[in-house]
Amino acid sequence: MNDVALGEIAQALGGELIGSPGLRIDRLGPLEGATPSTLSFLANPRYASQLAQTAAGCVIVAPAFKEAATQRGAAIVTDDPYLYFARLTQWWAQRVRPAPEPGVHPSAVVAASARLGQGVRIEALAVIEDEVEIGDGAVIGAHSVVGRGSRIGAGTRLAPRVTVMHGCTIGQRCIIHSGAVIGADGFGFAPEAGRWVKIEQLGGVRIGDDVEVGANTCIDRGALEDTVIADGVKLDNLIQIAHNVQVGEHTAMAGCVGVAGSTRIGAHCTIAGGVGIAGHLTLADNVHVTGMSLVSRSLLKPGVYSGAFPIDDNKEWEKNAATVRQLHALRERLRALEKKLK
Amino acid sequence: MNDVALGEIAQALGGELIGSPGLRIDRLGPLEGATPSTLSFLANPRYASQLAQTAAGCVIVAPAFKEAATQRGAAIVTDDPYLYFARLTQWWAQRVRPAPEPGVHPSAVVAASARLGQGVRIEALAVIEDEVEIGDGAVIGAHSVVGRGSRIGAGTRLAPRVTVMHGCTIGQRCIIHSGAVIGADGFGFAPEAGRWVKIEQLGGVRIGDDVEVGANTCIDRGALEDTVIADGVKLDNLIQIAHNVQVGEHTAMAGCVGVAGSTRIGAHCTIAGGVGIAGHLTLADNVHVTGMSLVSRSLLKPGVYSGAFPIDDNKEWEKNAATVRQLHALRERLRALEKKLK
Amino acid sequence: MNDVALGEIAQALGGELIGSPGLRIDRLGPLEGATPSTLSFLANPRYASQLAQTAAGCVIVAPAFKEAATQRGAAIVTDDPYLYFARLTQWWAQRVRPAPEPGVHPSAVVAASARLGQGVRIEALAVIEDEVEIGDGAVIGAHSVVGRGSRIGAGTRLAPRVTVMHGCTIGQRCIIHSGAVIGADGFGFAPEAGRWVKIEQLGGVRIGDDVEVGANTCIDRGALEDTVIADGVKLDNLIQIAHNVQVGEHTAMAGCVGVAGSTRIGAHCTIAGGVGIAGHLTLADNVHVTGMSLVSRSLLKPGVYSGAFPIDDNKEWEKNAATVRQLHALRERLRALEKKLK
């Protein structure tokens, strides 16, 4: 049986339950498409109009929507429905997903000098090199590779097909998604007569606790010192973090962001998808950059920054883009007119 | 012998063959650099001038170029030379590439509860977890991982080093290229006092039939419901498809595109390289977006849309870009002049 | 003991050593944070002010800084400190990193028809398919896959989890980082009544000598002929090189660049992070493109090119971006005023 009584949820997660604690819930779902056994939530007041129509058995709402929600059925009232919903997904996931059993799969290749904590799980065909340390309860996914001397903190999970190169450190309770590469060489070369001479990357990568790294995201090792990702940072998929970058606590970056070498990003920043950040810059705490902007200079004040060309019908865009290329000249012509008319 | 008679090709693929059916062809190639044993094609009239110079033994042409082509040698005349050429490459590939032999490589790790169809091929060191279903004739490449409960349709090929996480569905005759990650967690967090609380991603990924997914492309699993890729969709390399995105039938996206969460893209769209599409938007059927545009609002009418800054000499760009930052002020100055002159 | 006498370094790498050859060095590091046993360098005159403050035991400097450097301690004087430093990192890496031992790990799956040179190292769980050739001293990382008939040159290193598909060639002394995919299918389809018909990609990938390919970077195989990366090219992480692209000698590309099909890029170019280059274009030698520009036309003259929207406070950006969409109309209004005033 995969369903659960509403009362059990409220008991585990709190909130004011209005309605029958015996109501059976078999699914979490959005208001739209909900069934009488669906537990749903209203986090964004923009969707309040869906409240009247939804068939959801119970809706998690803020106090302001208590009346509207209970007129139509059961409700859980809580100050922050989105946060409640987040915790609910965690509780639900633990209920429906089998906990991974500890143990080393016989096909894994684990160096004799590796030190594995209590309750560690090493999945099929994983490779653990010499002098690696893996903390209690950590999971190393199938086909993942942990290079010589690296350390994986307690409770951290590497998905299948993750690479952690040698000499890197990952904190506790991190999640590293499939295809991520931690500790590949930074991109460093000295020019010599039209050729590039490699600068060996002698630093490592240091990742704090509670960090999430998305699928196919890359975090390069430092040239001399470490690349550093602080506690609580969340990185989405296909992000490039170059060598010696520092990302501050609880900063979040959406997919396809690129950060060039030695840039320091503050704490509590949000970097939207496709943003590029040039090298050797400083971004203050609480800087927020909107999608696909190029950060070409340091941003030393908290705030929201943008720099994308506005989308338009192709024909309109063509005319305006062509004019952009004459913009400075237009300004000069405007100045000339202003002079004439003074 | 790797060559083939021209007549055999025309018999297999149709078209009007003008010239000797006995001519031996050992290579498909562009007009430029062709040899007397090369079969070439003219798809774009822009390259018609190459027809006179080419040494190709035979050229596939549209009826309009029949005369020009046959003046110089053999030709296959067909209404759509590019389509003919596409089918020819398929026919040729089957001829020159050994068909992969079915069977499970002894080094693969296949769960006892997995169900494999007829003629399935599981390559070296692949991992097939519990309750996986693999359809007839499917190929699972070396080092690929198929997570618990996922289903791979008949005739689908996973290249080496592909990840399909648990609970995902891939249709028939799909091709998933190396490094692709299907079903990693969507990027969902609720803020709580400056920290991020993970929203477990309880949905999956559903991919239709005849879909191609490029190398290192990521398609995240949904938060509550599934991320959905419809039949016939073609995704190039290094694309990010976020959770709960829906991509309509036969839509194609070039490399490095990013699509943020919950956006719905229609059928028969083309999204050029490097485009970013914000979250919670709707794109109608037959929308075409040109390279590196940011789609920041819904596009509800079919058409071509653009939004990239025009490239220029760096010096010109610097002057114009600086002026862009004063653009609104310039407009006000222009207005003032207009008022003055009224 | 991990430290080394300064004199030993100068003897190996040259330069004019001023100070005690017996000084023990245990670390290479930046001027900031250096200790008396740190060997540091001053490459950019911008950081000259750090020279007086640094605690570094020795600093590598250009002749112009000889006096300033020696007033505070030991120095190595050389014409190009950055190049000296690059060579020093190579020398240092050889000293501190154990040379990988040759041999085939018992868990690797190596086809009987593969030909391995002298001193080759095949790491755990690597897969080497039929007819592969691997040159002397090459290293194939754990979990890497080398497809049928591909050739890996002498001294080349594949990191863990690299894919080289069938029929590709990689030159000598290359480094291919983790997650890179060489030779996946190019993105080629012919439209037919609203569907896409696959064009089989019958070409391969040819990579020259001394090439570096970043983590999770993709280089697609050609449609009919090969995709070609010339000698000395350096590609950073998460780059997309489409089918039939040609990249000239010693060109370098930073992270997240995308190059569309059949484009030819000259030698000695630098392409900054996030740049997109459209298909079927030609870029001359010595073309330099700044970050996140879209190269939408051929660039036939050497020079620096740019095309990014300038970043600004979100509010300012909103006003200016809105005005960009009226820019052509503004130009017409300006023209009208000019006419009026003539």
Side-chain angles (χ1 to χ4, degrees), chain C residues 28-105:
Chain C
L28 311 183
L31 293 167
E32 212 183 320
T35 68
S37 58
T38 300
L39 174 50
S40 196
F41 71 104
L42 175 67
N44 190 335
R46 238 194 322 162
Y47 299 116
S49 65
Q50 294 183 11
L51 209 48
Q53 282 93 46
T54 187
C58 176
V59 183
I60 305 161
V61 294
F65 293 98
K66 179 176 175 171
E67 216 180 283
T70 50
Q71 274 173 355
R72 44 145 306 285
I76 293 172
V77 183
T78 178
D79 284 344
D80 187 340
Y82 197 53
L83 179 60
Y84 192 102
F85 163 68
R87 296 209 190 286
L88 173 60
T89 62
Q90 294 182 7
W91 184 86
W92 192 270
Q94 285 198 325
R95 222 176 53 88
V96 298
R97 281 191 206 152
E101 285 179 31
V104 177
H105 194 279

Side-chain angles (χ1 to χ4, degrees), chain B residues 27-30 32-33 39 41 46-47 80 82-94 96-98 105 107 121 123-125 142-143 157 159-161 175 177-179 210 212 214-216 232-239 249-256 268-270 273 290-292 294 297 308-315 317-318 320-331 334-335 337-338 341-342, chain C residues 107-109 124-127 129 142-145 148 161-163 165-166 178-181 184-202 215-221 223-225 238-242 256-258 264 274-277 280 289-290 292-297 299 304-313 316 319-321 323-327 329-331 333-334 337 340-341:
Chain B
R27 177 173 168 268
L28 311 183
E32 213 183 320
L39 175 51
F41 71 104
R46 238 193 323 161
Y47 300 116
D80 187 339
Y82 197 53
L83 179 61
Y84 192 102
F85 163 68
R87 295 209 190 287
L88 173 59
T89 61
Q90 294 182 5
W91 184 86
W92 193 269
Q94 285 199 324
V96 299
R97 282 191 205 152
H105 195 280
S107 65
R121 174 182 169 88
E123 298 189 347
L125 302 164
H143 282 284
R157 286 186 286 138
R161 291 211 310 104
I175 301 173
H177 288 287
S178 186
D210 303 299
E212 190 157 341
N216 284 344
V233 167
K234 309 296 179 186
L235 303 179
D236 198 357
N237 299 346
L238 290 167
I239 288 174
E249 293 180 7
H250 309 294
T251 280
M253 299 189 192
C256 308
H268 304 290
C269 295
T270 59
T290 65
M292 290 184 73
L294 168 63
R297 56 182 172 89
F309 202 99
I311 194 162
D312 211 338
D313 294 338
N314 175 264
K315 277 185 189 166
W317 169 80
E318 264 192 355
N320 291 320
T323 314
V324 162
R325 295 186 59 191
Q326 316 163 356
L327 193 51
H328 187 256
L330 288 181
R331 191 184 68 168
L334 182 62
R335 271 189 191 164
L337 282 190
E338 285 171 335
L341 286 170
K342 231 193 260 172
Chain C
S107 65
V109 177
L125 301 164
V127 173
E129 296 190 353
H143 283 284
S144 285
V145 179
R148 188 167 43 81
R161 290 210 311 104
V162 165
T163 300
M165 298 294 290
H166 63 277
S178 187
V181 178
D185 281 354
F187 195 64
F189 302 91
E192 182 189 27
R195 288 154 189 269
W196 300 105
V197 177
K198 182 172 177 72
I199 298 171
E200 290 288 341
Q201 304 292 300
L202 302 168
N216 285 343
T217 280
C218 301
I219 304 174
D220 277 352
R221 63 193 315 114
L224 295 174
E225 305 192 305
L238 290 166
I239 288 174
Q240 154 68 354
I241 304 287
C256 308
V257 166
R264 295 176 189 209
V275 164
I277 306 182
H280 297 273
V289 184
T290 65
M292 289 184 73
S293 305
L294 168 63
V295 181
S296 52
R297 56 183 173 88
L299 301 173
V304 181
Y305 298 86
S306 301
F309 201 100
I311 195 163
D312 211 337
D313 294 338
E316 289 300 307
K319 287 192 292 186
N320 291 320
T323 314
V324 162
R325 295 187 59 191
Q326 314 163 357
L327 192 52
L330 288 181
R331 190 185 68 167
R333 282 159 58 186
L334 182 62
L337 282 190
K340 212 170 191 171
L341 286 170

